[in-house]
Amino acid sequence: MSEPLARRLREAADQHAQSPDLKLNVRELVQLHGDASTAVLLMLMSALTVIPIAGAGTVLSFAIVALAWAWLRGHDEFPLPRRVGDLTLNETWTRRCLHGLAWTYERAHRWLRPRWPVWSHGATRALWSGWIVVMAGVIFLPLPLGNVLPSISLILLSLGWMARDGLALLASSVVGVAALAYTASLGHVALDLIQSGMERVRPWLGM
């Protein structure tokens, strides 16, 4: 599946080069995938969370949670929420997304293959659904560069599930753990700053 998708997105990128003022919204990006499955939508929404569009991470994190529910129930189709579909990329990010997605599918076609089937067994669907929710929660948090690692984790999860590649799913777990560690470290720093600030303010408050 990845090779035809890569070809289609490369063609779209070439068309964009001929019309550099072209802007695409999320709905149009999904349409380029044809009959997009839940895994494809998860990968696309995860990739879009790192794009600097005001409020995109918040909106997409809720959509990703909804996708987790569809994933848990085994639904291969997911109706794209209107608010998500209407998110529009500017000319620069339209070009970057088209080239980036094409590159991703090209590498997936070359590198991914069915292996370590226990990681993609149907019995693990509930575990991966929970993992998607956890990564969506990290994406929701307003952290500096906080969307990058959970986004990569979910992209690897999507590609690994589509290819039934357990190694990619293992990589998704490793990157996700790194995302949680990064979030925890930032939370610890923020807590230290709050406590330090309170200690400085306490004398002024007579405490």
Side-chain angles (χ1 to χ4, degrees):
M1 183 181 68
S2 56
E3 187 177 20
L5 278 174
R7 191 181 308 116
R8 195 178 307 151
L9 288 161
R10 282 294 178 198
E11 292 172 355
D14 292 341
Q15 292 176 1
H16 181 273
Q18 299 173 5
S19 179
D21 59 342
L22 176 66
K23 297 180 181 180
L24 294 178
N25 59 28
V26 175
R27 184 176 296 103
E28 290 164 336
L29 280 174
V30 171
Q31 289 171 352
L32 286 173
H33 288 74
D35 296 328
S37 67
T38 302
V40 168
L41 287 175
L42 176 62
M43 194 210 69
L44 182 58
M45 289 188 192
S46 301
L48 292 174
T49 60
V50 299
I51 295 177
I53 302 176
T58 301
V59 173
L60 290 169
S61 64
F62 284 107
I64 289 172
V65 170
L67 272 171
W69 176 244
W71 188 292
L72 176 63
R73 301 183 67 186
H75 293 174
D76 199 41
E77 296 182 0
F78 179 79
L80 191 67
R82 187 180 67 178
R83 189 176 178 185
V84 174
D86 289 341
L87 287 173
T88 301
L89 286 63
N90 61 26
E91 297 90 340
T92 299
W93 280 103
T94 294
R95 181 182 69 254
R96 290 177 179 175
C97 274
L98 291 173
H99 284 288
L101 288 169
W103 181 89
T104 299
Y105 285 125
E106 287 166 354
R107 296 304 178 275
H109 177 69
R110 293 179 185 178
W111 297 340
L112 302 186
R113 65 181 186 273
R115 53 188 160 183
W116 301 4
V118 67
W119 286 80
S120 58
H121 192 276
T124 66
R125 187 177 286 273
L127 294 175
W128 290 121
S129 176
W131 186 252
I132 293 169
V133 172
V134 171
M135 292 296 101
V138 176
I139 290 171
F140 176 79
L141 297 174
L143 303 175
L145 301 177
N147 292 359
V148 176
L149 288 175
S151 173
I152 294 173
S153 174
L154 291 179
I155 289 171
L156 288 170
L157 168 55
S158 304
L159 293 173
W161 190 267
M162 285 188 284
R164 293 299 185 265
D165 190 335
L167 181 58
L169 293 170
L170 174 60
S172 169
S173 302
V174 172
V175 174
V177 169
L180 293 174
Y182 176 75
T183 302
S185 64
L186 285 183
H188 182 71
V189 170
L191 183 59
D192 285 345
L193 289 174
I194 292 172
Q195 290 176 344
S196 177
M198 289 297 296
E199 289 176 358
R200 293 181 180 181
V201 171
R202 191 174 290 125
W204 294 91
L205 298 178
M207 297 175 63

